[in-house]
């Protein structure tokens, strides 16, 4: 691995390259916070995809793309005199030190759970922090991740199940209520109850230390692999998927399962 000096030199070179691009490249010169935002979201998801695949080479590449966006926003702000990369780093360091008194102070926190609880309590006390517990959850988060963060923040102030096994009664209750509204053919109420089902399942995942977003993505990727196997087989046989029976597709699906796909 590289020394800290080498890393700092590389970071300085990166900032120099960004300055050059901002000054001389027509595309980079016209970018704004608003124009970069959609690309930032895309780059973040691409990094998440690489992380899920544990592709080290791709992770390194995507981290660079995300870093570019962080520095680009700071560069734009420096041009208007609002802040620059030094301010971003200084504010982050100050926040990390303040929120980790168990590392930089005298507070005791021996478990990740205790650290997380302290973190939320410290945030609420900060001068410019969030006054309401849930106000720190970004509204733009995908709904599944947002539900997990809402529940986790509530847990940090003591609003949680005393025994995690009790969650299963709640899950079954929500499923029953959903089934009732489906039978009643009330789409609006069924949708609301289905949301409750998902929220309770996400809660169960959290209580059993499972990341629901990662879990769902693993299932997504598994489905893609198996469905692709079915489709690739039909292409080789010169058959259209639409012309196959469900039983024929199920047989190929089970083949894919046996192959460990």
């Amino acid at each position: 691995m590289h020394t800290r000096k080498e890393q700092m030199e590389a970071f300085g070179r990166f900032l120099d390259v960004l300055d050059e691009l901002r000054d001389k490249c027509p595309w980079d010169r016209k970018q704004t916070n608003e124009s970069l935002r959609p690309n930032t979201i895309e780059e973040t998801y691409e990094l998440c995809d690489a992380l899920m695949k544990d592709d080290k080479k791709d992770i390194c590449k995507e981290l660079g793309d995300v870093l570019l966006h962080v520095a680009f926003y700071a560069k734009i702000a420096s041009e208007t005199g609002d802040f620059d990369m030094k301010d971003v780093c200084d504010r982050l360091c100050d926040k990390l030190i303040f929120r980790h008194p168990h590392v930089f102070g005298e507070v005791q926190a021996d478990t990740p759970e205790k650290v997380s609880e302290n973190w939320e309590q410290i945030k609420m006390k900060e001068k410019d922090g969030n006054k309401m517990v849930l106000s720190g959850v970004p509204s733009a988060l995908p709904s599944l991740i947002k539900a997990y963060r809402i529940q986790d923040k509530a847990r940090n102030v003591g609003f949680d199940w005393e025994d995690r096994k009790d969650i299963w009664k709640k899950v079954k209750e929500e499923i029953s209520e959903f089934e009732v509204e489906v039978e009643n053919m009330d789409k609006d109420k069924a949708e609301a109850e289905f949301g409750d089902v998902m929220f309770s399942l996400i809660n169960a995942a959290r209580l059993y230390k499972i990341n629901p977003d990662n879990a769902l993505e693993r299932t997504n990727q598994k489905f893609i692999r198996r469905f692709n196997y079915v489709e690739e087989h039909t292409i080789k046989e010169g058959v259209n998927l639409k012309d196959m029976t469900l039983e024929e597709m199920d047989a190929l699906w089970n083949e894919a399962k046996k192959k460990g796909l």
Side-chain angles (χ1 to χ4, degrees):
M1 288 290 98
H2 299 97
T3 65
R4 177 57 59 86
K5 180 181 178 182
E6 290 172 327
Q7 293 178 54
M8 295 304 295
E9 287 175 349
F11 187 68
R13 178 185 174 221
F14 158 60
L15 293 179
D16 289 341
V17 169
L18 179 58
D19 287 345
E20 195 84 357
L21 291 173
R22 182 67 172 172
D23 182 50
K24 298 179 180 178
C25 174
W27 187 90
D28 289 280
R29 196 162 50 231
K30 76 171 187 177
Q31 297 310 306
T32 65
N33 287 344
E34 291 74 22
S35 68
L36 284 173
R37 181 178 176 276
N39 292 336
T40 304
I41 295 171
E42 181 179 341
E43 295 297 354
T44 303
Y45 276 109
E46 288 178 358
L47 171 60
C48 291
D49 189 48
L51 290 167
M52 282 295 296
K53 294 175 181 176
D54 196 27
D55 185 329
K56 300 299 191 298
K57 184 177 180 180
D58 207 26
I59 290 171
C60 182
K61 169 185 172 296
E62 298 301 340
L63 281 171
D65 291 342
V66 172
L67 177 60
L68 170 59
H69 281 250
V70 172
F72 213 139
Y73 290 119
K75 175 65 178 175
I76 291 172
S78 72
E79 295 166 355
T80 57
D82 294 314
F83 59 85
D84 60 19
M85 199 65 195
K86 181 182 183 303
D87 297 311
V88 172
C89 292
D90 284 344
R91 185 165 182 176
L92 174 60
C93 288
D94 290 343
K95 181 172 69 175
L96 290 174
I97 291 170
F98 182 72
R99 292 186 182 177
H100 290 79
H102 55 287
V103 176
F104 302 101
E106 303 300 324
V107 174
Q108 294 295 315
D110 301 324
T111 66
E113 291 76 17
K114 185 61 178 177
V115 170
S116 184
E117 289 176 15
N118 287 346
W119 180 282
E120 292 299 334
Q121 291 168 8
I122 291 170
K123 284 172 67 176
M124 292 176 67
K125 294 177 182 177
E126 286 177 340
K127 183 178 180 180
D128 60 346
N130 301 307
K131 295 181 180 179
M132 304 295 288
V133 173
L134 301 182
S135 61
V137 179
S139 59
L141 278 179
S143 297
L144 191 151
I145 299 174
K146 186 190 294 184
Y148 186 91
R149 291 293 294 125
I150 287 170
Q151 295 167 4
D152 195 48
K153 280 185 172 291
R155 174 190 68 81
N156 286 328
V157 293
F159 190 77
D160 203 5
W161 299 85
E162 291 186 2
D163 187 339
R164 65 182 182 178
K165 292 180 181 178
D166 293 339
I167 188 62
W168 299 116
K169 180 179 178 181
K170 184 64 173 176
V171 169
K172 292 172 184 176
E173 174 188 318
E174 298 296 357
I175 291 175
S176 296
E177 291 177 359
F178 170 62
E179 289 176 335
V180 169
E181 298 305 337
V182 169
E183 289 296 321
N184 291 338
M185 300 296 289
D186 189 320
K187 186 177 182 298
D188 185 63
K189 289 184 178 180
E191 183 178 277
E193 293 298 342
F194 186 70
D196 291 346
V197 171
M198 293 184 68
F199 196 84
S200 64
L201 284 171
I202 292 167
N203 219 344
R206 178 185 62 81
L207 290 166
Y208 284 88
K209 302 188 184 303
I210 294 170
N211 185 299
D213 188 60
N214 289 347
L216 182 58
E217 182 56 23
R218 287 181 65 177
T219 296
N220 288 340
Q221 294 301 321
K222 179 170 61 178
F223 186 93
I224 289 171
R225 290 193 302 271
R226 292 177 181 176
F227 193 84
N228 284 347
Y229 178 88
V230 173
E231 190 169 20
E232 287 165 3
H233 182 86
T234 61
I235 291 172
K236 289 178 183 178
E237 297 295 324
V239 180
N240 193 306
L241 274 175
K242 293 181 179 179
D243 297 328
M244 296 181 68
T245 65
L246 183 58
E247 289 74 17
E248 289 171 329
M249 286 190 281
D250 275 341
L252 290 171
W253 183 275
N254 289 329
E255 279 184 23
K257 287 179 64 175
K258 290 179 181 178
K259 290 178 179 290
L261 297 179

